[in-house]
Amino acid sequence: RKKRQDGNVQLRKCKRDEQLLKRRNINMEDLNTSPLKEMNRQVGDDATGVVMKFDDIVIGITQSSDEAQQFICTQNARKILSRERHPPISKMVEANIVTKLVEFLSWTHNPAMQFEAAWALTNIASGNSEQTTAVVNSGAVPSLIALLCNEQKNAMWALGNIAGDGASMRDFVLKKGIVKPLVQLVTDDAPSSFLQNLTWTVWNLYNFAVFLVLPFFWFCRFFSFAVFLTDVCWALSYITDGPNDRIELVLKTGVVEELVRLLKNTSDGLLLTPVLRVIGNIVTGTDQQTQMLKRSFPKLLAHDKPTIQKEAAWTLSNITAGTQSQIQAVIDHHLIPILIALLMKGDYKTQKEACWAITNYTSGASLQQLIYLGNNNVIPALCCLLEVKEPKILQVCLDGITNMLLAAEKVDELEAMCCLMESCGGVDCIEKLQEHPNETVYKMSLNIIDHFF
């Protein structure tokens, strides 16, 4: 089975780099779309905008024994961390405020103080790795998870920032037990804005929580917020881009049924792209996992956005790399004529994926399936790509042509296929490729001319 590592790693990961915000500093504008809005109203934030001097804040937090004064100073610390263009995170860490803020997280008798302390720690954790480490070394993670267990949702932002710092921090947060309280926050009446923030936090955990976070995605089937689902599907695409045991766990959640529904009912290209990635990853699993060809593929291959056509063709290339029964499913759903049309006239990126799909087909198909392919003008279609510049695509194309010529030879139709290749200009192109600077392309072209012509 051809997995095509070159180029595909970047293809699959680039979208994650675009969408994943590993670090978040919560400012006042975030209140309208965050779990902080209601709590901020309850604690009575000062609407005057007056903020204390930094030194007074430090003294009030670290030296005062008056809870009311400590609260006011903590609230002001949160303000300058939230409102200033360049928040004084380093100064906060150097002033040993972090330890006191973590202490305030345990003030169960004062939820308003817990709220302010968690918000301030969230923005400190949005800094560099050294600043995030200072928050963790002060014992913040267990206290923040305890707040999550008590449904103080703003603690989720801080934990998301910590988990987004890197592998060691993600491992640490997971070992402290973040997953269970996160899952419990998913309810039928949860607002879409909160679910998006929750997805972001889980996304920062996905790489090290594959076997623990999947129950969260099971709950996601019940929600229909488009932007939220896009994030979920991208996260699923990275989870399934791995060993078969990961794919099996995703299948056990029943989420594939939701993916099928999305393919059938949505026209949103931003959502269709990650959905197709997930399906494409699933069909690179075992043969049993691949028995899921969707009737919606004709619509996707004919989509008005070339990117969706490309993703659909890529998914089919993984299916045609499977068993003969899987190839037959592609035939039965009448996808071959559509693929060949894309191979001849599609966008170049789509043509490349269609070329892979057809060549994978020729590598594992039965003789009767190859005859069917030949009767659908596959030779002229493959010859359309014999003048591209990419050596790898030329090799794939020549491989497909070779497989078709060998099949024609077996059924005494070689002369007819050779004549077809000559009439569409394919032979001339292959003769020119014998002078190609890439040695593999040169050898493949030479072998075709020498053996068949």
Side-chain angles (χ1 to χ4, degrees), residues 118-181:
W119 189 348
L121 287 170
T122 296
N123 287 351
I124 293 173
S126 72
N128 58 38
S129 293
E130 182 179 347
Q131 293 158 351
T132 305
T133 301
V135 174
V136 173
N137 290 344
S138 297
V141 172
S143 298
L144 289 167
I145 291 176
L147 288 181
L148 269 188
C149 293
N150 293 324
E151 297 189 356
Q152 287 230 20
K153 299 174 182 178
N154 60 313
M156 176 183 66
W157 292 66
L159 291 166
N161 276 344
I162 293 170
D165 189 66
S168 60
M169 289 299 181
R170 288 170 182 150
D171 269 340
F172 183 78
V173 171
L174 285 167
K175 288 177 181 177
K176 292 298 180 180
I178 187 178
V179 175
K180 186 175 180 179

Side-chain angles (χ1 to χ4, degrees), residues 3-4 32 59 77 85 134 232 238 272 287 330-331 366 416:
K3 296 284 287 186
R4 283 182 287 141
N32 292 326
I59 293 172
R85 187 171 183 178
V232 170
Y238 305 125
L272 281 173
D287 291 344
V330 175
I331 296 172
S366 67

Side-chain angles (χ1 to χ4, degrees), residues 124 301 314 329 361 388 418:
I124 293 173
L301 290 170
W314 172 75
Y361 178 117
V388 302
C418 289

Side-chain angles (χ1 to χ4, degrees), residues 418-435:
C418 289
C419 290
L420 179 60
M421 285 188 63
E422 288 183 13
S423 65
C424 70
V427 177
D428 292 337
C429 291
I430 294 175
E431 286 180 340
K432 291 178 183 178
L433 290 177
Q434 291 178 103
E435 301 175 3

Side-chain angles (χ1 to χ4, degrees), residues 190-192 195-196 223-230:
S192 60
L195 291 175
Q196 284 182 252
F223 302 98
S224 58
F225 304 107
V227 177
F228 173 69
L229 282 176
T230 299

Side-chain angles (χ1 to χ4, degrees), residues 5 77 104 129 189 275 377 393 424 432:
Q5 294 301 321
F104 296 153
S129 293
D189 58 351
V275 169
N377 294 319
I393 298 303
C424 70
K432 291 178 183 178

